[in-house]
Amino acid sequence: ALLLLEKELSPQKRVPISSIEASLDLLALSVLARIPSDADPAIKIKELNHVLFDELALRFPPQSEVEEKTQQFSELSSVLFSRRGICLGASTLYLCLAQRIGLPLSIFTPPGHIFVGYKGAAALRAIETTARGIDVPVEEYLGTSLRSLPERSLKEVIGMVAFNRAAIALNKKEWEKALSTYTTASRFESDEELSLMISMT
């Protein structure tokens, strides 16, 4: 769905969806080749982290480039091939690979951020994709203004990618593009902020 969205929003991109899917499949196979067929989630997370953050060397981009290249660092295909991603881009790549290896993950969005995690029997294991997949204590995301973590669906994450791109267009004063992309985002998620942005654009 993310790749189809990219194609819709960037029809000029020349990398075929099949090539991107093949790259994702190869990474997933690299993980599966290292683990037993009945591997528990902790082993899957460990090997997925190794493939993504050690072998592929996926990293958070230099801060000096983040604002200028936010779109590049947020989109699945760009993150996959550049090996640089902000929280949204790195988390969507992680989710795509987790799906392929049978690792069910949850998605959380504290203000201005997104991370994935595994809900174990005892506790939530956070996977911080901007810091090589380390398990950040959930309390680190909470504070006086945030008592619980907002949880999102996979469908909403697709909307977040479109919302992010619309915000970039808005900052560039590309009004029609921003409105069109916010409207696309509304097919996948609905909240007050999105409705407000559509009405204001």
Side-chain angles (χ1 to χ4, degrees):
L2 285 168
L3 295 177
L4 291 172
L5 177 68
E6 283 189 27
K7 189 71 174 174
E8 178 182 335
L9 297 178
S10 298
Q12 74 281 5
K13 276 195 173 181
R14 296 183 179 179
V15 180
I17 289 178
S18 58
S19 296
I20 303 168
E21 287 180 319
S23 296
L24 292 169
D25 289 340
L26 284 172
L27 285 173
L29 286 171
S30 182
V31 176
L32 291 171
R34 301 163 187 269
I35 60 176
S37 58
D38 60 347
D40 66 31
I43 292 173
K44 290 181 178 180
I45 291 168
K46 178 183 175 184
E47 292 304 329
L48 181 49
N49 285 349
H50 175 71
V51 167
L52 269 183
F53 303 113
D54 295 332
E55 293 189 356
L56 193 67
L58 177 65
R59 295 288 186 274
F60 192 86
Q63 195 63 46
S64 59
E65 297 180 22
V66 169
E67 186 172 341
E68 180 185 345
K69 300 179 180 178
T70 297
Q71 181 174 311
Q72 175 184 327
F73 296 137
S74 299
E75 293 183 347
L76 176 60
S77 60
S78 297
V79 172
L80 179 61
F81 295 124
S82 73
R83 303 179 182 190
R84 296 291 179 269
I86 58 175
C87 59
L88 181 58
S91 293
T92 53
L93 175 56
Y94 204 100
L95 286 166
C96 287
L97 295 174
Q99 282 185 320
R100 282 166 162 75
I101 65 170
L103 175 62
L105 295 179
S106 298
I107 305 147
F108 301 94
T109 54
H113 189 50
I114 179 174
F115 72 93
V116 296
Y118 176 75
K119 289 182 177 178
L124 170 67
R125 174 175 176 172
I127 302 167
E128 183 50 72
T129 57
T130 62
R132 303 184 68 189
I134 63 171
D135 180 3
V136 175
V138 173
E139 294 74 26
E140 294 292 323
Y141 298 103
L142 303 175
T144 54
S145 61
L146 185 68
R147 299 296 179 91
S148 63
L149 290 169
E151 189 169 352
R152 300 295 192 110
S153 68
L154 287 170
K155 184 178 179 181
E156 288 176 308
V157 172
I158 299 166
M160 291 169 65
V161 171
F163 186 97
N164 189 64
R165 181 183 277 225
I168 294 167
L170 193 64
N171 286 337
K172 293 180 179 178
K173 299 182 179 180
E174 298 173 349
W175 313 119
E176 289 185 13
K177 184 177 180 181
L179 178 58
S180 171
T181 312
Y182 278 129
T183 303
T184 297
S186 70
R187 296 183 350 223
F188 303 97
E189 61 171 338
S190 59
D191 58 30
E192 289 184 11
E193 184 180 6
L194 180 55
S195 300
L196 177 64
M197 296 312 296
I198 289 174
S199 64
M200 291 176 59
T201 304

